[in-house]
Amino acid sequence: MSQLAWTYVDDYGEKYKVGIIHVAPNGHVVVQCNNKIMIIDFNVLKNKTYSFFLGPELCELNVKREKENFSYGLTINQNADTPLNALRKKYRKRDLMWTMLIFSILILSVFVFSYTFLTVL
């Protein structure tokens, strides 16, 4: 029997304790969050992914078969079409535009200063 737990803290300070219990001989899986059962699945003997929300964040719990053993991972899906990911994309685009603007102003300032300095000499 495999048992593993993760603690995830979201942007608002909310803590989520996610745990998995996987009974390997028959493949029964129980996934819980903050001591409440979220998922029960039977005969999980191959790779499988479970998706669920922790607050506004879409998480994926991966069960991977590796020869005789299993490995487990909890990841944040930042590619799915969720409101939080759309907001992230909007802010990344805004930040990229500001970075390009500031860099352009800096390059232009160096060019103007250099040109002015060289024409004075």
Side-chain angles (χ1 to χ4, degrees):
M1 177 168 78
S2 299
Q3 192 170 0
L4 194 61
W6 298 267
T7 300
Y8 173 72
V9 181
D10 68 10
D11 294 338
Y12 306 106
E14 183 88 23
K15 283 186 179 181
Y16 300 92
K17 186 171 181 183
V18 178
I20 182 171
I21 299 171
H22 187 197
V23 183
N26 53 19
H28 299 338
V29 171
V30 176
V31 178
Q32 56 89 15
C33 179
N34 295 339
N35 296 322
K36 295 180 183 174
I37 295 175
M38 295 191 320
I39 299 168
I40 298 177
D41 199 2
F42 301 101
N43 299 321
V44 179
L45 300 172
K46 295 181 180 179
N47 295 347
K48 187 127 187 201
T49 300
Y50 300 98
S51 298
F52 50 88
F53 280 93
L54 295 178
E57 199 75 72
L58 180 62
C59 298
E60 293 180 344
L61 182 88
N62 300 303
V63 177
K64 291 184 184 175
R65 177 80 185 226
E66 296 176 350
K67 295 184 182 179
E68 296 178 16
N69 296 322
F70 287 88
S71 66
Y72 309 94
L74 182 67
T75 58
I76 306 299
N77 185 335
Q78 294 188 350
N79 299 322
D81 187 21
T82 64
L84 183 58
N85 289 342
L87 192 60
R88 278 189 185 118
K89 186 176 180 181
K90 176 183 170 184
Y91 284 136
R92 280 189 203 123
K93 188 175 182 179
R94 183 202 66 188
D95 292 346
L96 178 64
M97 295 302 289
W98 274 107
T99 302
M100 290 178 67
L101 178 66
I102 290 169
F103 185 72
S104 299
I105 290 170
L106 179 67
I107 294 296
L108 184 62
S109 298
V110 168
F111 177 73
V112 168
F113 178 76
S114 298
Y115 181 75
T116 305
F117 184 72
L118 290 175
T119 57
V120 170
L121 291 177

